[in-house]
């Protein structure tokens, strides 16, 4: 059975909502899926999983949230070669660097050797329209189909 972790950081609940939507969309594919908050994880725990989904909101002008900084830095201490991964996040178009945390985490995961399976999912605030919900579900289904292949 393929094991997938959805590690996320969420302040207002938006990124957590996306994570939950991804989890329920992946589960019908028979993958064992676990959700965890990044700030309570050791990056070496990622080695236990076949698939890694990282999610974060973007703080201020394109910065990582405080609670993800240690996790982000510590990613460089783990070799994730051949692990399949993708990144998602929430943001606000009012800021010049929309969902920049998604790009930062994608780049860091590439540095760690992961196979980035698809372009990052960037959502304005929370998926509250059918179009945004569909984008999240499509992202999850695409990941679920590829991670166990």
């Amino acid at each position: 059975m393929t094991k997938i972790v959805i590690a996320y950081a969420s302040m207002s609940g938006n990124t957590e909502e996306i994570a939950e939507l991804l989890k329920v969309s992946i589960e019908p594919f028979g993958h064992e899926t676990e959700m965890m908050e990044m700030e309570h994880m050791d990056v070496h725990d990622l080695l236990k999983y076949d698939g890694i989904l990282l999610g974060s909101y973007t703080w201020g002008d394109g910065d990582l949230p405080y609670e993800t900084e240690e996790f982000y830095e510590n990613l460089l201490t783990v070799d994730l070669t051949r692990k399949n991964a993708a990144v998602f996040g929430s943001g606000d178009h009012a800021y010049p660097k929309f969902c920049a945390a998604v790009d930062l985490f994608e780049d860091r995961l590439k540095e760690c050797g992961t196979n980035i399976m698809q372009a990052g999912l960037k959502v304005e605030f929370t998926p509250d329209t059918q179009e945004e919900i569909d984008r999240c579900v499509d992202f999850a289904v695409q990941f679920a189909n590829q991670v166990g292949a």
Side-chain angles (χ1 to χ4, degrees):
M1 175 180 288
T2 304
K3 292 177 70 174
I4 297 171
V5 64
I6 302 172
Y8 68 94
S10 187
M11 183 174 69
S12 61
N14 294 339
T15 308
E16 184 174 11
E17 278 188 49
I18 298 167
E20 289 170 352
L21 184 54
L22 297 178
K23 186 177 190 304
V24 300
S25 300
I26 289 170
E27 286 176 337
F29 290 84
H31 302 302
E32 183 182 324
T33 308
E34 190 174 351
M35 272 178 54
M36 299 177 75
E37 288 187 63
M38 250 183 245
E39 68 179 322
H40 301 302
M41 278 187 78
D42 181 315
V43 293
H44 293 88
D45 291 343
L46 296 175
L47 295 169
K48 298 186 286 191
Y49 299 94
D50 306 297
I52 301 165
L53 287 170
L54 295 185
S56 178
Y57 65 97
T58 300
W59 183 251
D61 192 21
D63 299 319
L64 290 174
Y66 171 75
E67 66 268 27
T68 67
E69 289 174 355
E70 185 178 341
F71 186 88
Y72 178 83
E73 292 303 322
N74 289 341
L75 277 170
L76 291 177
T77 69
V78 62
D79 180 5
L80 298 174
T81 302
R82 292 187 296 280
K83 295 288 183 183
N84 294 313
V87 183
F88 64 95
S90 60
D92 182 346
H93 272 106
Y95 292 95
K97 295 181 181 173
F98 177 67
C99 287
V102 171
D103 302 323
L104 290 169
F105 271 110
E106 270 186 2
D107 290 343
R108 181 55 50 99
L109 284 170
K110 287 176 190 172
E111 288 179 69
C112 298
T114 64
N115 171 32
I116 300 293
M117 312 244 330
Q118 62 209 67
L121 174 67
K122 299 179 179 183
V123 177
E124 175 88 11
F125 299 119
T126 189
D128 58 3
T129 66
Q130 191 58 51
E131 180 183 340
E132 288 171 330
I133 292 168
D134 290 346
R135 281 183 53 234
C136 293
V137 170
D138 290 347
F139 179 85
V141 167
Q142 183 179 347
F143 190 82
N145 279 327
Q146 292 180 28
V147 76

